[in-house]
Amino acid sequence: MPVDRIHWDDLPLGARHAAEEQTGPILRAETAAAGANSGIAATVHTAGSVLFVKGVPIDHPQARTQQREAAVNPYLPPSCPRLLWRVQTAGWDLLGYEYLVGRHADYSPGSADLPLLVQALTELQNTPCPVLDDLKIAEDRWSKYAGPAGVEQLAGDTLLHTDLAPHNLLIDDRAHLIDWAWPTRGAAWIDPAVLILRLMEAGHTAKDADAWTREHVPSWAAAPHASVAAFSAANARVWDEIARHDSEDWKKHMGRNAHDWVTYWRTQVR
């Protein structure tokens, strides 16, 4: 459920004061235009630092995803922005992050960002998965869509991001994975499977996205065909459900990509 975005000065005074106890006086704040899951998303400036602050009302359904994001942050790869502090007061849950200067990634064929994407994904797949109550479990998360036989094939011990959209990768001299609302423990090849749909969204064919990912991501090259088939069908059902509840064009487009991918994968013999 999206959260209505407000500006920093619209926060309750108690919430702003609690943040300033962590940062010192905030001289100005710039509200981010992108994103729909935070009631506050702002770059804040103090006399000696710049931070990124995001937050939601404590009683909003999105507060659960923010709790997961805060819980997993200490275990993330070094390229991910560090959570510096968290305050919960005056009806708000606020997270203060290290500020990164960067732009969103370009996934189009031939983009110079693709090697940086590989580095970030490789770093993540080599990161130990913590044992946390706040982590989603793949076989539970997709059980509604995969069925008992398919869902068993999603189990694994890899830390997954599961939302590898280009706006969740900040690029400077490397790629930084951001927005950890859905950290999940599961089979390592699930993140590459999620990524392939985003590559298709950016203009890659299913065949080319598959070949590129197989060349650069070892877990994808080793992924069992039947397991990928089960997840791909389940993920297509997820996108169908998303599009039914919200008919934005990009969501319908992702649903078509998911079904095109299922059709392609069924023709592959591994």
Side-chain angles (χ1 to χ4, degrees):
M1 180 185 299
V3 189
D4 292 335
R5 179 68 52 82
I6 65 173
H7 298 295
W8 182 257
D9 289 342
D10 297 326
L11 272 176
L13 189 60
R16 282 181 280 150
H17 282 172
E20 289 185 324
E21 288 178 359
Q22 304 295 322
T23 66
I26 292 173
L27 305 180
R28 70 179 192 279
E30 300 147 2
T31 300
N37 296 324
S38 297
I40 279 287
T43 302
V44 302
H45 301 258
T46 71
S49 65
V50 182
L51 299 89
F52 182 73
V53 179
K54 64 189 299 185
V56 293
I58 288 173
D59 60 356
H60 193 279
Q62 289 291 356
R64 190 74 183 95
T65 64
Q66 182 156 291
Q67 166 60 30
R68 286 196 292 269
E69 188 170 351
V72 78
N73 185 266
Y75 305 94
L76 298 182
S79 64
C80 298
R82 298 296 96 190
L83 177 62
L84 304 175
W85 48 263
R86 182 183 188 185
V87 295
Q88 296 172 292
T89 189
W92 279 80
D93 182 359
L94 301 177
L95 305 180
Y97 279 96
E98 170 190 13
Y99 180 69
L100 299 178
V101 179
R103 56 174 174 79
H104 296 309
D106 174 8
Y107 285 2
S108 61
S111 169
D113 292 349
L114 294 178
L116 302 180
L117 166 61
V118 171
Q119 291 174 9
L121 185 54
T122 300
E123 183 183 55
L124 173 59
Q125 299 228 306
N126 290 330
T127 298
C129 185
V131 178
L132 296 172
D133 291 340
D134 292 292
L135 280 186
K136 291 282 188 177
I137 307 301
E139 53 268 43
D140 295 337
R141 180 173 168 184
W142 283 283
S143 61
K144 174 183 174 182
Y145 308 97
V151 80
E152 294 173 0
Q153 302 177 73
L154 310 185
D157 295 317
T158 298
L159 176 61
L160 307 170
H161 183 282
T162 73
D163 189 11
L164 295 171
H167 60 261
N168 285 336
L169 224 69
L170 283 182
I171 302 293
D172 46 32
D173 58 345
R174 65 172 304 171
H176 306 268
L177 278 169
I178 62 172
D179 285 350
W180 282 83
W182 295 97
T184 300
R185 183 170 70 247
W189 50 263
I190 290 176
D191 260 349
V194 169
L195 173 62
I196 279 175
L197 297 189
R198 294 298 185 170
L199 294 174
M200 292 171 65
E201 180 188 33
H204 300 253
T205 66
K207 180 179 179 180
D208 288 346
D210 177 25
W212 181 88
T213 308
R214 195 165 355 108
E215 178 182 357
H216 296 289
V217 186
S219 64
W220 184 248
H225 187 275
S227 299
V228 173
F231 174 77
S232 299
N235 202 30
R237 296 183 191 108
V238 171
W239 279 109
D240 286 343
E241 182 176 270
I242 290 171
R244 281 197 303 272
H245 287 89
D246 187 338
S247 59
E248 289 182 82
D249 286 343
W250 75 268
K251 294 179 180 178
K252 291 188 286 187
H253 181 52
M254 287 297 294
R256 290 192 294 270
N257 285 342
H259 284 281
D260 288 347
W261 168 255
V262 169
T263 300
Y264 163 80
W265 189 252
R266 285 174 178 162
T267 69
Q268 303 307 297
V269 178
R270 301 284 171 88

